Amino acid sequence: MTSKFNRRSFMRGALGGAAVVVAVPTLDQFLDNNGKAYADGAKLPTRFGTYFWGLGLTPGRWVPNKVGADWDMTPELSSLKDLKKKVSVFSGFRVHLDGRPNIVHWTGQAAILSGVAASKNGSFDAGTFDVDMADQLGGGMRFRSIEMTPFGNPRLSYSTRTGVGFNTPEASPIALYTRLFGEGFQDPNDPNWKPDPSIMLRQSVLSAVTDQRKALMAQAGAADKVKLDQYFTSVREMEGALASQLEKPAKCESCVVPTAPAETAKSGMIETVNKNNVLMGKLTAMALACNQTKLFNVVHTSATSETYLPGDSMIYHSHTHDEAIDEKVGYQVITSKLAGLAFQGYADFVSALEEIKEGDGTLLDNSLVMGFSDTGYAKIHSTDNIPMFFAGGAGGRHKGDMHVVGNGDPVSRVSLTAQQLVGMPVGSFGIGAMKTSKSVSEVVA
Amino acid sequence: MVRKSGFSGVSASVLAAVAIGSVGLATGFATETVSAPVAKKANAGKPGTIVGTRRLTESQYRNTIADVFGPEIQITGRFEPERREHGLFAIGSTELSISSGGFEQYYAMGRAVADQAFAEKSREKVFGGAPANAEAPDDAKAAEFIQHYGKKLFRRPLTEAEVAARVALANRGATQAKSYDAGLKLALVSLLTAPEFLFRVETAEQDPRNRKQLRLDGYTKAQRLSYLIWDSAPDEELFRAAEKGELHTQAGVDKQVARLIASPRFEAGSRALFTDMLQLDRFETITKDAAIYPKFSAAVANSAKEQTLKTLMHLLLEQKADYRTIFTSPETFIDRSLASVYQVPFVAPSGWMKYKYPDDVDQAGIITQVTFLSLFAHAGRSSPTLRGVGVNEVFLCLETPSPPANVDFSIVNDTSNVRLKTTRARLLAHAEDETCAGCHNLTDPIGLSLEGFDGLGQRRLFENGELIDVSAEYDGMEWEGAKGLAQVLHDHPDVPSCIVRNVYAYGVGRSPDEQEDLNYLGAQETAFANNGYKFPDLVKSVASSPEFFKIVIPAAPEPVTTDANVASRKATIRLAGGL
């Protein structure tokens, strides 16, 4: 971080303080005439994120009536109203179990992310597509991807290379800040940038570790090889990160180095989770704008969400099962309130990307954030009609403002579409009955 | 309910019907050995093959660093989350690798440890005096240093290539920084971030008594023993025994096991085992609603965890009491914050004081402590179901299956039904629904007898103005309240079976689910009973047995498939091994 006072430093503090958000426009000299690329010809990168919240949404309270373009707003989606034009809604997609059990609060996210219903609780039968995406598209950044959860539980992550070990999330805003903007961060706009010679020595340390790779792998059986391979992949990612720090970073005017957020409370109270979520959204948005990473994965709350309303002795998960349907209104009232608040996490997060100007649009225009949950109806653990959303322009490839009805098609169609929209060279996704090569063309611009 | 494998619930007739084979299972635990046949597949069962990798747990990492560099070394950083399989992190650790975010953390911790070890204050203590030329590389001295600390960290002597890579690194660093220490520090960081340190790599060698068979090598046996009993790396004496081949003889193993258990460090090992088994790590992830439980805090959570471990160590190691008294003993320890939760006077000047529950209070043993009662509860209320699940999983080794997906809760949750006004009534209504009854009948009665404690563990007699009914009926037994449950558990045959299974599974890092495992565990259970259910004797008996060194030969790597996102493949389990 620099210590100078300049236009950017004037902006600092927004994260830790009031909800005043001032977007800093990318200066014209950095951009070509079309505002789609930097002047040196480098395209503005497309970023991608997954955003999961637990327990779905309430039937009858979220699916728009209108199918196709210009969908109509519904009660539980109301937090997205200002961004509706940049959001696609997917309803009616489901998990094809392929003979596997419906593992409650697990099958849904497993199928969406790995392309196959899990056969066992606690692990997926395959790695998740975000990891493939990080491998293919995440290079050249300090971090191939960043995982986080505003709920504060360091085990809340569904991003996995092997299906067994899950990528560790940052579990508080300060931890996320430290990872992104602490040691190792280089301000891309620092005019006095010089390569840090100690980085080369740190690279040598890693070389000494990887020197033994071949010998170790030759001794290992299949399962150990998978684990060791993941370990060495992690080492390689760090080598890549160190290498990127030896290169002078490209200037990016949208980057405003934030100040550290204050220590925040850790609590299951939904308001606290959402406050942490807002902070994490702003930090992530700035990490994207500062070219620290192109990919992120957020788990707002677990699939058995333990969030609660202030003073309520019952947690959200218990309400979904225990609360009777109010005959007057036709739905579970407290559950719906909590569903709306959980979904607000997604809306707040993508809003943080929208608040940053980039090129002739916003950071969100150059991003795609796939929001999804584990169930279509938590009360009965349904894996039909799981709510799924795309927010952002994906660099002009995502049409937005569309409502697509899946009519029972597999959720993997939406996952495949997400991958293709951000430029993954994949023609199909999924395994067995979930395998599909049919993307959702209605949302492709 | 599904019984965890490796459990004595298998009937005696089944056990008797299975051939024991060449593994002795009676008293004395066999002098005969069993080894694995050398496999024909490439990499599977080859001499020198890796037969297992287990990621170091946080406590193993901390204990190992403290042993090697001194307890004053501070370790701050975020460890990779662990994963509980079949009730234990120790089993889950065999499935885990290190993510990129996790590696960054291990790297940062490695640097911090090296910085502290080379800090002026501790350098001399750890590494001896300064080198002759502090500003230049010295390959010979560096090699000595790397071999010495490498062996402690990798838990085996380093290969020439492993030393050479670090000597070259130390040389480069020393030259560039004009500092011998700076170079050595880099070499140390590379040791601390190497897979051979961060994973417990288990390797097998050809058995010289039968060249077609494999056995765990001596160093692997040494680390299995030291991590079970001390939760840390082997000490010099254990390395010596490994090097001399003494761990391939029953007498050699017996001698080392007796020494390790007699050491005060056995307490650290026992604490780690119970921390894992009792799921005490869950304090890191639970939250309590401050409006409902204002007394709950991180400090109370830490004290509660310590209370449980102190109680266990007092009963099991100091008093060498019958293991089953952990449920019935009125003796415990409290500090000031816990005294406030339990609403009893704290009369010590500070720290901890012994406390005995009064006879007329319905409280005894570790399941009536804040630890169990708050971990198995919701954020704002108690949960008889969660507590029942907790007792079944932790103390009886009974796994609870996931609830069925398509349950209609509407009957149970109809609060207009006057029969279902209370938690008890609502839960017992599950018994009337066949889909729910299978599991809820096995969990809820246990938890309902603990309803005299709220979701934090504070005693209560009334709930919403109603006197709480703590009677319970389960499996033909009837009891009243927490003390009644304590006695039921004390007398339950699955309680000793479960701890036997857990000690073995924790030590070998595998769920013992083969028939010959069951035979072995059955014999261990008999020995445990004959020894008066003494926990140290159980650990000694398990660690000294040939089965403790059994090998699970991994499947050979398969060709890379083109199908996207290949999951890790299960090893083909073929058991063998022994001394």
Side-chain angles (χ1 to χ4, degrees):
Chain A
M1 265 186 277
T2 68
S3 56
K4 303 186 309 293
F5 182 82
N6 56 24
R7 195 171 69 100
R8 283 189 299 282
S9 56
F10 176 74
M11 302 306 303
R12 289 173 196 163
L15 284 169
V20 179
V21 178
V22 186
V24 181
T26 302
L27 294 183
D28 290 342
Q29 66 260 34
F30 292 124
L31 298 170
D32 69 358
N33 291 334
N34 299 319
K36 301 279 187 196
Y38 288 107
D40 64 1
K43 259 192 95 182
L44 287 166
T46 303
R47 287 77 159 205
F48 178 76
T50 64
Y51 192 100
F52 175 90
W53 73 96
L55 299 170
L57 294 171
T58 311
R61 303 273 295 161
W62 71 273
V63 178
N65 287 316
K66 192 176 173 193
V67 178
D70 192 22
W71 53 274
D72 51 305
M73 186 49 72
T74 55
E76 287 184 6
L77 307 190
S78 61
S79 51
L80 267 179
K81 65 180 184 325
D82 294 340
L83 292 172
K84 188 177 92 67
K85 296 247 176 261
K86 298 186 179 184
V87 175
S88 287
V89 182
F90 301 90
S91 67
F93 289 86
R94 72 184 183 94
V95 177
H96 291 204
L97 293 169
D98 228 0
R100 293 178 172 83
N102 174 5
I103 302 169
V104 299
H105 303 296
W106 189 254
T107 290
Q109 64 268 41
I112 289 167
L113 291 170
S114 71
V116 60
S119 53
K120 184 181 157 196
N121 201 0
S123 61
F124 294 169
D125 287 13
T128 52
F129 76 80
D130 60 280
V131 173
D132 290 342
M133 212 182 254
D135 287 345
Q136 297 232 18
L137 308 176
M141 297 278 138
R142 188 162 148 241
F143 303 105
R144 280 184 182 256
S145 77
I146 291 285
E147 282 70 43
M148 70 200 82
T149 174
F151 189 72
N153 178 347
R155 295 196 173 92
L156 270 187
S157 166
Y158 301 123
S159 169
T160 172
R161 181 176 294 280
T162 62
V164 179
F166 291 82
N167 291 320
T168 311
E170 303 306 328
S172 70
I174 186 71
L176 181 64
Y177 171 85
T178 305
R179 178 110 187 270
L180 293 171
F181 299 104
E183 187 184 310
F185 172 75
Q186 306 191 54
D187 184 346
N189 300 316
D190 181 357
N192 301 316
W193 181 88
K194 280 183 194 143
D196 177 353
S198 74
I199 288 175
M200 281 182 282
L201 286 175
R202 290 167 68 185
Q203 286 178 312
S204 305
V205 169
L206 298 181
S207 298
V209 169
T210 52
D211 270 0
Q212 313 306 317
R213 180 178 187 277
K214 205 173 163 188
L216 200 58
M217 295 294 266
Q219 288 178 285
D224 291 321
K225 216 164 194 165
V226 169
K227 285 184 279 177
L228 290 169
D229 198 46
Q230 168 155 22
Y231 164 87
F232 282 113
T233 301
S234 299
V235 178
R236 272 200 305 277
E237 286 188 23
M238 189 161 172
E239 286 178 319
L242 290 173
S244 75
Q245 290 174 57
L246 285 172
E247 291 173 19
K248 186 169 168 51
K251 283 190 175 181
C252 42
E253 188 61 20
S254 302
C255 173
V256 182
V257 183
T259 50
E263 284 285 348
T264 50
K266 179 186 157 192
S267 159
M269 202 192 304
I270 187 75
E271 283 175 15
T272 307
V273 175
N274 280 355
K275 271 185 194 168
N276 287 339
N277 176 72
V278 167
L279 288 172
M280 288 179 144
K282 289 176 184 295
L283 288 167
T284 303
M286 202 45 82
L288 298 172
C290 296
N291 284 336
Q292 300 302 297
T293 186
K294 286 193 278 196
L295 297 141
F296 61 89
N297 297 294
V298 187
V299 177
H300 172 265
T301 38
S302 81
T304 52
S305 176
E306 294 161 312
T307 49
Y308 53 84
L309 295 165
D312 186 351
S313 68
M314 293 224 329
I315 58 169
Y316 180 15
H317 179 209
S318 299
H319 278 303
T320 63
H321 293 308
D322 290 4
E323 188 186 10
I325 293 171
D326 185 321
E327 286 175 11
K328 282 182 203 155
V329 295
Y331 60 89
Q332 297 165 288
V333 176
I334 301 171
T335 299
S336 177
K337 181 175 182 183
L338 281 157
L341 287 168
F343 186 75
Q344 190 186 326
Y346 176 58
D348 287 346
F349 209 94
V350 295
S351 297
L353 272 62
E354 176 70 0
E355 285 160 3
I356 294 182
K357 297 289 174 203
E358 192 174 68
D360 57 1
T362 69
L363 177 63
L364 186 61
D365 296 333
N366 294 313
S367 307
L368 189 75
V369 187
M370 185 177 93
F372 66 103
S373 192
D374 61 307
T375 177
Y377 189 18
K379 188 175 179 64
I380 57 165
H381 299 122
S382 173
T383 52
D384 292 345
N385 195 27
I386 297 181
M388 297 180 78
F389 302 85
F390 286 170
R397 298 188 193 97
H398 174 226
K399 202 182 274 180
D401 205 13
M402 294 291 294
H403 171 211
V404 182
V405 181
N407 293 318
D409 280 358
V411 287
S412 48
R413 278 192 69 202
V414 182
S415 309
L416 172 67
T417 310
Q419 293 172 67
Q420 293 180 337
L421 283 175
V422 296
M424 281 280 283
V426 288
S428 67
F429 176 66
I431 295 171
M434 291 280 292
K435 185 165 181 171
T436 181
S437 54
K438 196 175 153 197
S439 55
V440 184
S441 57
E442 293 93 322
V443 301
V444 179
Chain B
M1 307 294 277
V2 178
R3 195 176 293 280
K4 266 177 209 158
S5 47
F7 197 88
S8 71
V10 180
S11 72
S13 59
V14 172
L15 286 174
V18 176
I20 286 174
S22 57
V23 183
L25 287 165
T27 50
F29 290 101
T31 51
E32 211 168 338
T33 64
V34 178
S35 307
V38 176
K40 288 174 186 166
K41 279 184 182 176
N43 293 332
K46 254 184 359 186
T49 200
I50 293 172
V51 291
T53 53
R54 301 164 67 175
R55 199 179 71 197
L56 277 191
T57 64
E58 178 173 344
S59 67
Q60 288 167 354
Y61 184 104
R62 289 182 182 280
N63 288 339
T64 305
I65 294 297
D67 286 348
V68 177
F69 301 109
E72 64 280 2
I73 301 281
Q74 299 286 314
I75 299 170
T76 52
R78 183 204 64 197
F79 285 80
E80 287 273 73
E82 290 166 39
R83 174 188 173 86
R84 186 162 275 108
E85 284 284 340
H86 301 289
L88 293 173
F89 279 155
I91 298 174
S93 71
T94 62
E95 296 192 352
L96 294 173
S97 186
I98 292 175
S99 69
S100 54
F103 184 74
E104 282 175 36
Q105 292 288 323
Y106 285 120
Y107 189 89
M109 284 190 273
R111 284 177 68 197
V113 168
D115 282 343
Q116 292 174 72
F118 277 94
E120 205 174 338
K121 215 166 56 176
S122 60
R123 191 201 183 285
E124 190 167 348
K125 187 177 152 197
V126 178
F127 306 126
N133 183 350
E135 295 180 2
D138 181 335
D139 287 357
K141 274 186 84 74
E144 251 176 59
F145 170 93
I146 291 159
Q147 279 163 341
H148 180 76
Y149 285 97
K151 182 178 167 188
K152 287 173 181 285
L153 295 170
F154 286 15
R155 303 164 282 268
R156 60 162 173 78
L158 268 59
T159 64
E160 281 179 22
E162 287 165 346
V163 175
R166 271 91 190 182
V167 169
L169 173 62
N171 187 303
R172 199 177 318 145
T175 306
Q176 183 171 322
K178 292 190 171 47
S179 159
Y180 171 77
D181 277 8
L184 226 47
K185 207 191 284 186
L186 293 174
L188 182 55
V189 176
S190 90
L191 292 172
L192 289 165
T193 50
E196 295 88 347
F197 169 62
L198 297 174
F199 294 89
R200 290 166 53 189
V201 180
E202 299 197 327
T203 50
E205 64 185 13
Q206 211 161 39
D207 187 342
R209 288 166 298 191
N210 182 349
R211 294 201 165 276
K212 291 181 180 169
Q213 304 285 329
L214 288 177
R215 66 181 182 190
L216 286 182
D217 64 32
Y219 291 104
T220 300
K221 287 181 176 179
Q223 58 170 314
R224 267 203 187 178
L225 290 173
S226 68
Y227 280 107
L228 168 67
I229 302 172
W230 286 355
D231 197 41
S232 189
D235 65 353
E236 282 305 320
E237 166 59 15
L238 201 48
F239 276 136
R240 188 202 58 74
E243 191 181 349
K244 297 284 179 199
E246 292 173 11
L247 299 181
H248 297 309
T249 69
Q250 187 67 56
V253 170
D254 288 346
K255 186 180 160 194
Q256 291 299 327
V257 168
R259 184 180 70 85
L260 295 177
I261 287 182
S263 160
R265 297 173 70 186
F266 180 41
E267 180 175 339
S270 303
R271 278 175 167 256
L273 188 151
F274 283 106
T275 298
D276 189 350
M277 178 179 148
L278 269 56
Q279 308 184 9
L280 302 186
D281 57 284
R282 293 180 56 208
F283 273 124
E284 291 165 27
T285 55
I286 65 159
T287 59
K288 295 286 172 191
D289 187 340
I292 297 170
Y293 301 123
K295 286 183 182 171
F296 183 78
S297 64
V300 165
N302 286 336
S303 294
K305 188 174 158 181
E306 183 59 19
Q307 179 197 19
T308 299
L309 290 171
K310 262 183 179 302
T311 309
L312 287 169
M313 295 306 107
H314 173 67
L315 292 172
L316 302 181
L317 301 195
E318 283 173 38
Q319 295 195 335
K320 293 195 171 52
D322 182 324
Y323 168 71
R324 301 167 304 166
T325 59
I326 66 170
F327 301 108
T328 52
S329 171
E331 291 177 26
T332 187
F333 299 84
I334 54 172
D335 68 359
R336 191 172 292 282
S337 68
L338 291 175
S340 163
V341 175
Y342 293 128
Q343 299 154 56
V344 298
F346 184 75
V347 292
S350 62
W352 291 83
M353 64 173 247
K354 262 191 186 174
Y355 181 76
K356 194 172 174 186
Y357 301 120
D359 290 343
D360 59 348
V361 170
D362 187 27
Q363 196 162 13
I366 60 170
I367 56 166
T368 60
Q369 293 181 354
V370 167
T371 298
F372 182 81
L373 295 166
S374 64
L375 287 183
F376 294 94
H378 292 303
R381 60 177 183 153
S382 68
S383 169
T385 304
L386 287 180
R387 286 176 182 168
V389 168
V391 165
N392 283 331
E393 289 194 353
V394 173
F395 299 109
L396 301 175
C397 290
L398 279 171
E399 286 185 7
T400 308
S402 299
N406 55 347
V407 181
D408 184 357
F409 291 75
S410 55
I411 302 166
V412 178
N413 297 319
D414 180 4
T415 50
S416 63
N417 185 334
V418 291
R419 287 175 51 237
L420 306 177
K421 283 290 186 191
T422 66
T423 305
R424 166 176 283 266
R426 198 164 53 76
L427 283 172
L428 292 181
H430 283 112
E432 293 167 16
D433 182 315
E434 276 184 25
T435 325
C436 309
C439 290
H440 279 277
N441 283 348
L442 294 177
T443 56
D444 298 351
I446 293 171
L448 285 168
S449 60
L450 293 171
E451 275 293 274
F453 300 91
D454 68 13
L456 175 57
Q458 300 171 113
R459 283 173 43 221
R460 60 181 181 178
L461 290 173
F462 298 91
E463 183 185 18
N464 300 324
E466 293 287 318
L467 188 65
I468 296 170
D469 177 359
V470 290
S471 62
E473 187 182 344
Y474 165 62
D475 202 16
M477 295 172 284
E478 289 182 22
W479 71 88
E480 191 82 21
K483 278 186 173 171
L485 175 62
Q487 196 58 48
V488 165
L489 290 172
H490 177 277
D491 299 340
H492 202 296
D494 289 354
V495 161
S497 307
C498 186
I499 185 71
V500 168
R501 177 261 181 202
N502 278 340
V503 168
Y504 181 67
Y506 177 88
V508 299
R510 154 178 88 74
S511 183
D513 47 12
E514 298 291 316
Q515 187 58 54
E516 62 183 76
D517 289 328
L518 302 182
N519 299 339
Y520 164 74
L521 294 174
Q524 285 287 2
E525 196 187 325
T526 303
F528 186 37
N530 290 341
N531 288 332
Y533 299 108
K534 303 272 194 291
F535 174 74
D537 290 347
L538 169 63
V539 176
K540 188 175 178 182
S541 180
V542 168
S544 310
S545 64
E547 286 77 5
F548 187 64
F549 301 120
K550 265 187 176 172
I551 297 171
V552 177
I553 299 194
E558 295 183 18
V560 176
T561 155
T562 51
D563 210 346
N565 305 320
V566 182
S568 64
R569 302 193 184 283
K570 270 277 175 206
T572 303
I573 307 292
R574 293 187 309 147
L575 292 173
L579 292 175

